[in-house]
Amino acid sequence: MALLHTEHLDMRFGGLSALEDLNLAVPAGGLYGLIGPNGAGKTTVFNLISGFLKPTGGRIVWDGREISGEPPHRLADWGIARTFQNIRLFGELSVLENVLVGFHCRSRATWGEAVFRLPRYRREERDRRSRGLALLEEVGLAEAADQPAGKLPYGHQRRLEIARALATGPRCLLLDEPAAGLNPQETGDLIFFIRDIKDRYDLTILVIEHNLRLVMGLCQHLTVLDHGLTIAAGPTAEIRKNPEVIRAYLGK
Ligand SMILES: Nc1ncnc2c1ncn2[C@@H]1O[C@H](COP(=O)(O)OP(=O)(O)OP(=O)(O)O)[C@@H](O)[C@H]1O
Ligand SMILES: [Mg+2]
């Protein structure tokens, strides 16, 4: 059974149909790709699944329960984490602090306990710091822990954003164009990195990407969108031979 699936999912913005009748079925442990030209509706799919948008039609089902229209923080609690097409880090905060932001969604201490820095909060904070450092170690950013996030090289900022998403303890990770702005070497590293965290954290991963090397090298299944419509879906090896996909997206 699919861990995440959508049924006839629609999103309209006024007169514009950004997404129409999307039927995704992402198996647990899968590496699933979403591709298509600019404006195809890819980010809209992520905004719907992560609760940033409410669908105008259809359903989203996560682990057997309907989640359409649930708010982002609840979906994060239930194990859905995402990154953004345009990196959203706190540039002035340190690398470690950026990761700690992710842990906060799992805090048990109350607001009052935090304000007065009561023992439970302090204990949790110590614990979070050491887990944050361990996570940075795992993603290869430990040496930069105290640097401002905004000063990191671009490839590392992308990686940090993924680390922050991991800090929320997800079962499913949505990556929106993780290779955007990376050079070929960094893109190669990223492919290894994504495979590694998928195994290490037992993740299901959905990735949006224009970089075909990354998509073809990483994803087992693809859905191809164009103007909000699904023009093809299936195993990557089949999609790359599909003439309509080649015409609409792959070019030549
Ligand atoms: N919040 C919004 N309000 C109005 N229109 C929107 C909104 N979000 C997206 N759209 C429109 O929906 C369509 C799909 O946008 P979306 O961002 O999902 O495309 P995309 O496939 O991610 O494109 P890109 O590859 O450029 O990131 C576009 O026409 C876009 O202008
Ligand atoms: Mg997009």
Side-chain angles (χ1 to χ4, degrees):
M1 201 189 73
L3 175 64
L4 175 70
H5 75 267
T6 68
E7 291 167 15
H8 309 297
L9 195 61
D10 285 313
M11 187 69 220
R12 302 188 62 85
F13 296 108
L16 173 84
S17 181
L19 192 70
E20 227 177 293
D21 196 24
L22 177 74
N23 297 285
L24 273 185
V26 183
L31 244 164
Y32 204 106
L34 211 52
I35 66 173
N38 292 119
K42 306 179 297 296
T43 297
T44 299
V45 174
F46 276 17
N47 286 339
L48 289 166
I49 294 172
S50 57
F52 287 76
L53 286 174
K54 243 184 177 44
T56 49
R59 299 179 349 122
I60 307 168
V61 179
W62 163 255
D63 202 12
R65 116 166 85 180
E66 179 164 1
I67 58 164
S68 329
E70 293 284 354
H73 65 89
R74 192 165 303 150
L75 296 169
D77 276 348
W78 290 341
I80 300 175
R82 72 173 295 180
T83 62
F84 294 90
Q85 189 165 350
N86 303 306
I87 295 178
R88 294 192 190 176
L89 290 171
F90 300 101
E92 332 276 74
L93 295 187
S94 75
V95 167
L96 177 61
E97 284 163 335
N98 270 276
V99 165
L100 297 185
V101 170
F103 285 134
H104 277 282
C105 106
R106 294 249 171 256
S107 173
R108 296 190 170 281
T110 63
W111 177 82
E113 284 175 310
V115 167
F116 296 107
R117 305 184 60 80
L118 294 180
R120 175 156 70 161
Y121 178 76
R122 274 184 299 167
R123 211 167 36 244
E124 274 193 13
E125 197 173 53
R126 264 200 313 276
D127 179 50
R128 268 200 297 273
R129 269 190 75 84
S130 59
R131 282 190 299 137
L133 286 169
L135 178 56
L136 288 177
E137 193 77 54
E138 280 171 6
V139 301
L141 290 174
E143 276 166 31
D146 298 318
Q147 279 179 35
K151 292 264 154 60
L152 288 182
Y154 200 70
H156 286 178
Q157 292 193 24
R158 286 265 173 213
R159 195 172 282 223
L160 175 57
E161 216 193 9
I162 296 175
R164 184 176 59 188
L166 289 175
T168 67
R171 294 170 63 199
C172 178
L173 198 52
L174 311 175
L175 303 174
D176 196 346
E177 300 199 25
L182 302 190
N183 65 37
Q185 166 75 49
E186 290 171 325
T187 303
D189 292 347
L190 183 73
I191 294 175
F192 277 107
F193 177 67
I194 293 175
R195 284 209 191 101
D196 178 56
I197 57 169
K198 178 185 170 309
D199 293 339
R200 201 192 285 258
Y201 297 95
D202 198 14
L203 297 170
T204 301
I205 295 182
L206 206 60
V207 56
I208 293 175
E209 193 43 70
H210 280 294
N211 185 315
L212 292 180
R213 181 174 157 227
L214 187 140
V215 167
M216 300 297 175
L218 206 54
C219 301
Q220 301 136 345
H221 272 77
L222 294 178
T223 285
V224 188
L225 297 176
D226 191 17
H227 292 102
L229 296 171
T230 302
I231 60 169
T236 304
E238 279 170 30
I239 297 295
R240 68 196 303 173
K241 289 185 284 188
N242 180 314
E244 202 184 343
V245 174
I246 294 169
R247 201 168 43 245
Y249 185 60
L250 305 178
K252 293 177 284 293

